[in-house]
Amino acid sequence: MSTEEHQDFVRRIVAEDVAAGKCPDGVVTRFPPEPNGYLHLGHAKSICLNFGIAQEFGGRCNLRFDDTNPEKEDLEYVDAIREDIRWLGFEWDEERFASDYFEQLFQWGLALIEKGCAYVCELDGEQIRRGRGTLTEPGENSPYRDRPAAESRDLFERMRAGEFPDGSRVLRARIDMAHPNLNMRDPVLYRIRRAHHHRTGDSWPIYPTYDFTHGQSDSIEHVTHSICTLEFENHRPLYDWFIEKLEIFPSRQFEFARLNLEYTLMSKRRLIQLVNEKLVQGWDDPRLPTLRGIRRRGVPAEAIRNFCRTIGVTKFDSTTDYALF
């Protein structure tokens, strides 16, 4: 490996962990897209980082689809993501889906209840939001917070069996409603949502939240370095809390600054809006920063990889000059 490949802080962390013997079974990373849209230039930065580190350190990188929001997801996006990653020049070691772990996640939900670390709450979404508090004011305990574990377990199993209407109950972690990090104030782990899933069909009337799914999926796959964008930095204490309470493989999360490109819309939500409202010709419209759109402009995959290498990986938010791209 060249010195240049070790310039960014993430690669330095990985190199230090390898040297310290913290990865006895090898370095494992993952690229975890949600299949609710096409990949864009910002994803390319993450792809190059995760797959690149696995290659450079002789490790493995999984492609894992975080498919926990069935209303927004589609097999069309799954196929497109596979194609775009391969076009960019990478191949994953294993293909996984968060839905592969639904049964295990449910069992872990039961385990947290038994440990006194989770409870079934009957407040609605708005009541939970109001009771969460603010950055300067603590939240309020749910009236269901001290519900006996046996009762919560029974209700959670009945939620799984489809006995209750959508939105009527959730499973929440029992952490600390006065915690300075709002993500630690009894977050929701499961919600009732009758929605057809592109892989599991109608077999699950409840779905885990991203926060409850992500770290445990990493742990199942023995991911050694879970590399996320800075927006998840405040979620890391929760990521670690679940792993600690469940006593499972201790995957670790690291955050880097996402790609912000001058004059360029990088929000997947906004890109979906442009496509759905037919303000562009589709996901491969050359005006879009999607990998499909960029490819249609005639930009080769090597140029995108070189661009990602040039801008580097940092811990600080910044905006890249469009001329550099």
Side-chain angles (χ1 to χ4, degrees):
M1 279 171 280
S2 70
T3 303
E4 180 184 356
E5 288 173 326
H6 283 293
Q7 291 305 302
D8 69 68
F9 78 98
V10 178
R11 285 177 168 85
R12 284 198 297 273
I13 290 172
V14 176
E16 290 167 2
D17 287 347
V18 170
K22 294 182 179 180
C23 309
D25 298 320
V27 171
V28 182
T29 61
R30 83 291 169 268
F31 175 60
E34 185 178 351
N36 63 356
Y38 281 64
L39 299 181
H40 56 62
L41 195 55
H43 293 115
K45 180 178 179 180
S46 180
I47 291 169
C48 289
L49 180 59
N50 280 287
F51 283 90
I53 284 176
Q55 289 178 354
E56 292 158 25
F57 289 91
R60 306 187 306 279
C61 183
N62 292 342
L63 168 61
R64 183 176 72 235
F65 294 96
D66 276 336
D67 53 345
T68 60
N69 289 301
E71 297 103 323
K72 299 179 180 180
E73 298 161 355
D74 196 280
L75 282 173
E76 171 193 352
Y77 301 133
V78 172
D79 292 336
I81 288 168
R82 291 184 185 123
E83 292 172 11
D84 285 349
I85 293 173
R86 286 184 169 128
W87 172 76
L88 202 54
F90 298 101
E91 187 64 46
W92 48 94
D93 287 271
E94 293 185 34
E95 180 177 295
R96 302 290 187 94
F97 290 82
S99 53
D100 293 336
Y101 312 136
F102 278 175
E103 183 59 41
Q104 178 61 80
L105 290 168
F106 177 72
Q107 294 301 322
W108 277 334
L110 291 173
L112 288 175
I113 291 172
E114 293 299 327
K115 287 173 175 278
C117 297
Y119 61 97
V120 171
C121 180
E122 296 176 38
L123 298 179
D124 62 32
E126 181 57 34
Q127 290 171 322
I128 290 174
R129 279 190 292 274
R130 286 202 307 266
R132 196 180 183 197
T134 67
L135 291 173
T136 57
E137 298 177 349
E140 298 178 0
N141 286 349
S142 164
Y144 305 98
R145 197 172 195 268
D146 296 322
R147 172 171 259 159
E151 185 180 335
S152 279
R153 180 186 178 95
D154 175 66
L155 289 170
F156 189 43
E157 289 176 335
R158 290 166 63 191
M159 287 167 59
R160 165 68 179 91
E163 289 190 25
F164 305 117
D166 287 14
S168 61
R169 288 164 178 79
V170 296
L171 182 69
R172 297 178 68 177
R174 182 189 279 109
I175 307 180
D176 181 0
M177 290 302 293
H179 200 285
N181 185 334
L182 269 64
N183 293 301
M184 301 294 282
R185 295 183 184 178
D186 289 15
V188 172
L189 312 187
Y190 268 91
R191 65 276 201 217
I192 303 173
R193 178 180 294 175
R194 285 172 177 77
H196 185 79
H197 191 280
H198 67 96
R199 294 188 73 242
T200 61
D202 299 317
S203 60
W204 286 91
I206 59 173
Y207 288 96
T209 59
Y210 175 87
D211 276 332
F212 187 58
T213 304
H214 191 68
Q216 284 79 277
S217 298
D218 286 342
S219 182
I220 289 170
E221 297 172 23
H222 282 208
V223 169
T224 57
H225 298 82
S226 179
I227 305 166
C228 305
T229 48
L230 280 177
E231 64 204 89
F232 294 104
E233 186 172 28
N234 287 336
H235 295 248
R236 188 180 350 126
L238 183 57
Y239 180 105
D240 294 338
W241 188 87
F242 286 132
I243 286 176
E244 176 191 343
K245 296 302 179 184
L246 292 170
E247 301 178 75
I248 55 180
F249 178 84
S251 294
R252 291 183 298 152
Q253 178 177 300
F254 305 90
E255 306 86 21
F256 70 99
R258 66 191 305 166
L259 172 61
N260 296 306
L261 188 61
E262 212 171 23
Y263 313 120
T264 305
L265 191 66
M266 289 295 212
S267 164
K268 188 192 291 186
R269 181 169 60 86
R270 294 299 187 190
L271 294 176
I272 290 173
Q273 183 180 355
L274 291 176
V275 173
N276 288 344
E277 294 180 7
K278 301 188 185 304
L279 299 173
V280 293
Q281 295 174 359
W283 287 100
D284 65 344
D285 191 302
R287 294 170 292 180
L288 293 181
T290 57
L291 296 187
R292 295 292 175 101
I294 293 170
R295 179 169 57 190
R296 192 173 163 192
R297 289 185 222 171
V299 177
E302 183 181 6
I304 296 179
R305 295 197 303 271
N306 287 340
F307 172 67
C308 291
R309 189 177 304 116
T310 299
I311 61 176
V313 180
T314 70
K315 192 81 173 176
F316 308 101
D317 273 323
S318 61
T319 301
T320 300
D321 193 321
Y322 192 83
L324 181 61
F325 174 60

